[in-house]
Amino acid sequence: MDKNHSSSPFRTLAFPANLVLLVTAAAWLLLACNALSARAEAPFRPAIRAAAGVALLLALRLRPSIRIRLAILIVSTIASCYILELALDVWLFSARPASAAIAANRPFDTRTTIEVVEDLRAAGLTAFPALTDVKETLLRRHGSVSSSLLTSKSGELVPLAGVAGVTTVLCNESGTYAVYKSDRYGFNNPDELWDKRFVDIAIVGDSFVHGYCVPADYSLGGQTRQRIPATLSLGMGGNGPLMELATLSEYASLVRPKIVIWAYYENDLRDLEKEKSNRVLSGYLDDSVFQDLAKNRDQVNAAVRAYLQQTEKHAPRWRPGLSKWNIHREDVPFWTQDLITGSDITIAQRFLRLITLRYLPQIVSEAEGVMNLDLFEKVLLRADNMVTKWGGKLYFVYLPSYDEAVLGRTRAASVVLNRVQRSGIPIIEVRSAFGTHAQARSLFFYRGSHYTEAGYRRVAQAVLRGIQAERSIPTVGQKVD
């Protein structure tokens, strides 16, 4: 039988089959090594991956017919997974800033973030990108914030804001980049607010509080400030609950706001999963950590500047050498520009790692919205206690995502809001301000985007109505007892 096989097509297919088995085995063994080096990995993962690699190597001793069938199974399974991943990405994440701008007849700035920064510098401004993307990278590294970014005599420092006192390039979802002048600590505020002994309102949160991706005056903080001028925005893109708690401790405590708005978004509990393994951030829960970032701002600012300057070397840019081949940016489709500049490298990484397929059960079941609830409640209660001690009051605001406001997904929101209600922290309802599902669509640039200027205005108005209903709208400049 084997002799017949040796003279049949099996001989032709044996080599590619062996190659498939070898490459797949090598991939599993490399994944095992990577899992061993990543401290955040569960201990059983390296063993499973190594066992899969060894099993595939042993499969090379099987008969050619079995090896070929096994190789066909592997190739077809991998191909099916990537086809499904592509289909899911198109279904869930097909909207992109450029295509959304074109559909809305808005011009779109095709420059990358670093190109905008360099153009501003050429115009004589001191400009930097926002720290948010770097912070997200640091959070992913071994499941915690890297200790290599900042150090002091007392040890590790975790930054909570961007470069201070510079023109900061944030993001582009509308077609135009959001750019602002950062305050003395690196937040998106008028700097003179820090000269006050007390402020009326402080808002903590992630990118939705930071001001993604609208002009500063039309952000949540900016539009709240139109009614209550002494309003501080203490949000940063990539923040999770522990970073927000740390921000309250390090910065809000300097001006003891009468009202603190805790702005929650659906990915906050996932961010908490990354943050909780960092010893500095976890130290804010029991008051064992205080970095005194405001006092050490010169040191912190210098280190953040240096780090951003280092990352600029590898930031995505248009390839200048393409011009000699008569390939110019304005002649190239938007999606091709992204690939040429490297702007889509994270999308490529997501695709290669099958991120959407791997997390599909969580996406469908909204399981991401209900993880770490006990720890989250502990963070909220610690924040409430901190604010109460300086005489202020903490309010919780749930910011709806596109899927919640437009598509009607509400399970995760209900679970989170029930837990907040149990903690006794007052909730300001803003979701109803988005209107019907059809009306809410216009308050986002596209699915997965942040709010439009009108969306932030709806939230600001709802927050102010909620505070007024509680009869705690502050008199401007009123001192906290």
Side-chain angles (χ1 to χ4, degrees):
M1 187 73 176
D2 287 339
K3 184 177 180 180
N4 291 334
H5 281 320
S6 65
S7 59
S8 69
F10 283 97
R11 171 181 291 181
T12 305
L13 295 174
F15 175 75
N18 291 342
L19 186 61
V20 168
L21 294 175
L22 279 171
V23 170
T24 310
W28 277 114
L29 292 173
L30 285 172
L31 287 172
C33 294
N34 181 66
L36 283 172
S37 64
R39 291 173 293 174
E41 291 273 15
F44 62 85
R45 288 183 180 176
I48 292 175
R49 294 170 182 176
V54 171
L56 287 169
L57 289 175
L58 292 175
L60 292 169
R61 300 176 62 86
L62 297 173
R63 291 185 313 191
S65 59
I66 297 177
R67 277 181 276 150
I68 291 168
R69 291 187 180 98
L70 182 57
I72 291 172
L73 177 63
I74 291 171
V75 170
S76 59
T77 300
I78 293 173
S80 299
C81 287
Y82 279 107
I83 290 171
L84 183 56
E85 175 76 10
L86 180 61
L88 288 170
D89 282 345
V90 170
W91 175 48
L92 293 170
F93 309 111
S94 58
R96 296 161 53 81
S99 58
I102 292 172
N105 293 317
R106 295 191 305 265
F108 189 82
D109 189 341
T110 61
R111 293 175 297 172
T112 65
T113 301
I114 192 59
E115 289 173 335
V116 176
V117 169
E118 290 170 343
D119 287 346
L120 290 169
R121 289 173 181 170
L125 297 174
T126 303
F128 281 87
L131 179 64
T132 52
D133 291 340
V134 178
K135 188 188 298 183
E136 176 66 15
T137 300
L138 294 171
L139 280 169
R140 285 199 302 266
R141 194 174 298 171
H142 303 308
S144 65
V145 176
S146 168
S147 62
S148 63
L149 178 57
L150 297 173
T151 55
S152 69
K153 293 179 181 178
S154 59
E156 184 180 15
L157 283 176
V158 176
L160 301 172
V163 179
V166 300
T167 300
T168 303
V169 180
L170 191 54
C171 54
N172 178 9
E173 291 180 346
S174 66
T176 303
Y177 273 90
V179 179
Y180 65 90
K181 177 69 178 291
S182 58
D183 63 28
R184 68 190 63 176
Y185 297 119
F187 294 100
N188 186 2
N189 295 296
D191 186 68
E192 61 270 16
L193 286 175
W194 293 105
D195 294 329
K196 299 177 179 293
R197 287 189 60 197
F198 308 97
V199 299
D200 297 319
I201 298 176
I203 311 173
V204 295
D206 60 8
S207 52
F208 283 84
V209 178
H210 193 169
Y212 276 52
C213 290
V214 298
D217 289 342
Y218 296 98
S219 65
L220 176 56
Q223 301 207 55
T224 305
R225 202 173 293 122
Q226 293 174 16
R227 172 75 186 278
I228 308 295
T231 296
L232 269 178
S233 178
L234 299 178
M236 291 295 292
N239 273 5
L242 281 175
M243 280 190 164
E244 290 157 15
L245 177 65
T247 300
L248 279 180
S249 177
E250 296 284 345
Y251 295 107
S253 61
L254 300 175
V255 287
R256 298 169 60 196
K258 180 177 178 63
I259 294 171
V260 173
I261 304 297
W262 186 288
Y264 175 95
Y265 189 69
E266 65 175 6
N267 61 2
D268 282 6
L269 295 182
R270 187 169 69 250
D271 291 332
L272 184 58
E273 178 69 20
K274 304 171 189 175
E275 295 173 332
K276 67 183 183 182
S277 60
N278 181 266
R279 62 178 183 81
V280 175
L281 294 176
S282 296
Y284 287 96
L285 274 172
D286 57 11
D287 214 18
S288 63
V289 168
F290 182 72
Q291 300 183 85
D292 210 357
L293 296 177
K295 182 179 179 181
N296 297 316
R297 62 176 177 171
D298 290 341
Q299 176 192 359
V300 174
N301 199 47
V304 173
R305 274 176 173 253
Y307 192 87
L308 286 172
Q309 287 169 340
Q310 180 184 359
T311 62
E312 287 177 11
K313 301 173 184 177
H314 308 291
R317 293 175 174 84
W318 183 256
R319 312 301 186 203
L322 293 174
S323 58
K324 69 180 182 181
W325 299 98
N326 203 29
I327 300 176
H328 304 286
R329 187 198 301 265
E330 58 272 17
D331 300 324
V332 176
F334 285 127
W335 66 270
T336 310
Q337 291 181 26
D338 287 344
L339 293 175
I340 292 173
T341 61
S343 299
D344 261 356
I345 188 65
T346 55
I347 296 177
Q349 289 172 345
R350 284 180 58 89
F351 177 75
L352 291 173
R353 295 173 63 189
L354 299 172
I355 294 296
T356 306
L357 183 60
R358 287 162 57 190
Y359 288 96
L360 184 61
Q362 294 182 6
I363 294 172
V364 173
S365 68
E366 303 180 64
E368 285 184 320
V370 296
M371 56 168 45
N372 293 310
L373 277 173
D374 291 337
L375 178 58
F376 178 62
E377 183 177 9
K378 185 177 179 181
V379 172
L380 275 183
L381 290 172
R382 174 75 184 95
D384 186 51
N385 179 260
M386 186 188 306
V387 174
T388 300
K389 278 186 177 180
W390 71 54
K393 188 167 185 178
L394 180 71
Y395 292 89
F396 184 88
V397 171
Y398 189 102
L399 300 175
S401 67
Y402 181 100
D403 284 7
E404 290 167 327
V406 179
L407 304 181
R409 287 176 51 187
T410 59
R411 177 177 173 269
S414 299
V415 172
V416 171
L417 289 170
N418 287 339
R419 184 60 68 99
V420 176
Q421 191 172 31
R422 190 180 82 172
S423 72
I425 296 171
I427 299 170
I428 296 177
E429 177 59 58
V430 304
R431 292 177 297 166
S432 58
F434 281 67
T436 65
H437 296 327
Q439 292 169 335
R441 190 182 301 272
S442 66
L443 304 179
F444 298 82
F445 294 113
Y446 51 87
R447 184 179 185 182
S449 79
H450 295 81
Y451 303 146
T452 63
E453 296 171 5
Y456 283 116
R457 181 167 61 251
R458 294 275 187 98
V459 174
Q461 291 170 345
V463 167
L464 291 170
R465 283 196 301 269
I467 296 173
Q468 192 170 31
E470 292 274 336
R471 296 183 179 178
S472 55
I473 280 276
T475 301
V476 176
Q478 177 181 346
K479 181 178 178 179
V480 180
D481 295 330

